[in-house]
Amino acid sequence: MLDVIRLGFSEPVPGGDRYEEFGLPPGPVEYRAAWALQRELHAEVVSGSRPDTLLLLEHQAVYTAGKLTEDHERPRDGAEVVDIDRGGKLTWHGPQQLVGYPLVKLPIPIDVVGFVRDLERTLIDVCAAVGVATMPVAGRSGVWVAPEGEESRKVCAIGMRVSKRATMHGFALNCANDLSWAANVIPCGIDDAGVTSLSREAGHRIAVADVVDIAATAMTELVAHRTSPRVG
C-alpha cells in the first residue's frame, strides 16, 4: 500500500490538499518545511510505523544543490541556495512544478539504479499521457525531450538518496512553471542542453492539476512492482 499525500499547491488539484493535516499554510510549501516533513515521514517508513509514502507537492521558488554541485554552477545573481543530501547537482523548484518524494522501503538486495531507471520510465509514461513524447538520455539522469537534430531539453529532474533501505528526494516535473530561472544557473550541471516544460512542448497549458492524478496512479504501480518479493 502506498499512502499518496497531496500537499501544498498553487491551484486546486484532484484529491484535495492535506496541508492542514501536517500543520502547513496553504499554497506551495517552503522547501525547508517540506524537507523536515520528508525526514520525519522517512523515519516512520523506516521504523515500519508508516506505509510507503509518496509526497506530491509544489514548492515556493527555491534553488537546491546536491552533493556534486560546483561553485560556478550556482546562481549568478547570488540567490539563496539550499544545500541538501541528495545526489546530483543544482536545480530549481517552484509553483506549477510537480515535485514527488517517494519514501519507499526497498527490498534486499537493494537496487537503487533499478529503482531510478523504473522511475524514469514511469515519468516518461506520465508525460506521454498528456501528449508529450519524452525519453531518457544516455549518461544523464531525468526525462528529456530530444527530437532528432534539436538540442535536448530536460523536462523532469531526478535526484534520489537511499538511507536505511528507504528512498528519499525524488523528481521534479516541469508542468506550467516559469523557466527563466535556468538562465541564472547551470541547471543540473549541464551547459550543453536546455530545460523545458510540458506546457511549452505541448503548446498549451498543462497544469500540475492535469498531471497529479496520472502521476499518483503511475507511482503507485511503480512502488508495487519495486517492493514485491523477488523471485529466484
Side-chain angles (χ1 to χ4, degrees):
M1 180 181 72
L2 181 68
D3 183 15
V4 180
I5 301 174
R6 303 163 197 236
L7 182 79
F9 296 95
S10 55
E11 299 174 352
V13 298
D17 189 330
R18 293 166 62 181
Y19 68 89
E20 289 183 325
E21 179 181 339
F22 294 93
L24 296 170
V29 186
E30 192 273 328
Y31 187 84
R32 290 180 179 84
W35 193 11
L37 177 60
Q38 185 185 170
R39 293 196 300 269
E40 177 185 331
L41 298 181
H42 178 270
E44 293 175 4
V45 170
V46 168
S47 72
S49 61
R50 161 175 286 279
D52 291 331
T53 298
L54 172 66
L55 289 173
L56 290 175
L57 54 85
E58 295 174 33
H59 280 302
Q60 297 174 16
V62 66
Y63 293 102
T64 67
K67 294 178 180 180
L68 300 179
T69 304
E70 299 181 36
D71 286 345
H72 74 277
E73 296 164 347
R74 292 173 180 262
R76 298 179 176 95
D77 63 357
E80 181 187 17
V81 176
V82 179
D83 289 276
I84 56 176
D85 59 353
R86 62 165 168 79
K89 295 200 173 195
L90 188 135
T91 192
W92 175 93
H93 300 302
Q96 283 302 312
Q97 179 193 72
L98 179 62
V99 173
Y101 295 131
L103 311 173
V104 176
K105 190 176 288 187
L106 299 179
I108 296 173
I110 294 174
D111 182 6
V112 179
V113 173
F115 186 91
V116 173
R117 294 289 87 82
D118 276 0
L119 179 58
E120 286 179 346
R121 285 188 285 269
T122 295
L123 291 164
I124 287 169
D125 290 343
V126 170
C127 294
V130 293
V132 177
T134 59
M135 61 185 293
V137 170
R140 291 179 168 176
S141 68
V143 174
W144 298 77
V145 176
E148 187 174 353
E150 296 183 20
E151 179 186 66
S152 298
R153 305 180 289 275
K154 180 178 275 193
V155 71
C156 184
I158 295 175
M160 301 290 299
R161 179 183 178 224
V162 174
S163 175
K164 300 179 181 177
R165 278 186 53 202
T167 61
M168 296 184 72
H169 303 293
F171 67 86
L173 175 60
N174 294 333
C175 295
N177 51 286
D178 174 38
L179 294 174
S180 64
W181 63 271
N184 192 36
V185 298
I186 300 178
C188 304
I190 297 169
D191 58 7
D192 61 348
V195 295
T196 191
S197 66
L198 296 177
S199 296
R200 175 173 287 184
E201 296 300 325
H204 61 87
R205 189 172 191 263
I206 299 176
V208 164
D210 299 318
V211 179
V212 66
D213 263 355
I214 300 168
T217 299
M219 289 297 297
T220 298
E221 293 172 356
L222 165 66
V223 170
H225 167 66
R226 292 303 310 184
T227 58
S228 60
R230 305 281 179 88
V231 176

